[in-house]
Amino acid sequence: MSHVVTIATEIRDPIALRRSCQRLGLAEPVHRTTKLFSSEATGYCVELPDWRYPVVCQIETGTVLYDNYNGKWGDQVHLDRLKQAYAVEKSVFESRRQGHSVTEQTLADGTIKLTIQLGGEA
């Protein structure tokens, strides 16, 4: 039986966040306070390619704070890739933790298809 699931991503797991950064070839996230133009934010900071300010992931709330000035200070595609990588890493981790097997396939449009076999081999 097949089920298609859409995932709304809240970044709440620092281990999955670290793995998503590794997947994308980014530096490991660092928990700190940082400046976002005219404000400050504290959380796990991720440096995205060519972004002026880091993305701040507040795992307590799942909130992602950033200031890319409507794309002028950072291309939204990099943040979208980070969220996608996080969703994949978290889904794979939780599936395997529950004893399921997972296969991953990157599709032509850049989306990632996960096939989860309940309790067995995928």
Side-chain angles (χ1 to χ4, degrees), residues 46-62:
V46 177
E47 302 288 342
L48 296 176
D50 301 320
W51 277 53
R52 182 174 289 185
Y53 300 103
V55 169
V56 181
C57 302
Q58 296 180 327
I59 60 170
E60 302 82 9
T61 61

Side-chain angles (χ1 to χ4, degrees), residues 33-99:
T33 298
T34 190
K35 183 176 179 173
L36 296 176
F37 187 62
S38 61
S39 64
E40 288 187 340
T42 300
Y44 285 90
C45 297
V46 177
E47 302 288 342
L48 296 176
D50 301 320
W51 277 53
R52 182 174 289 185
Y53 300 103
V55 169
V56 181
C57 302
Q58 296 180 327
I59 60 170
E60 302 82 9
T61 61
T63 305
V64 176
L65 301 172
Y66 62 95
D67 187 350
N68 70 345
Y69 194 49
N70 296 320
K72 293 183 177 111
W73 295 344
D75 190 338
Q76 181 70 30
V77 72
H78 295 295
L79 178 56
D80 294 343
R81 285 184 187 138
L82 177 66
K83 288 181 176 180
Q84 179 189 48
Y86 177 85
V88 169
E89 291 294 335
K90 185 65 175 171
S91 297
V92 168
F93 175 79
E94 292 300 331
S95 295
R96 289 184 176 153
R97 188 173 64 83
Q98 295 176 30

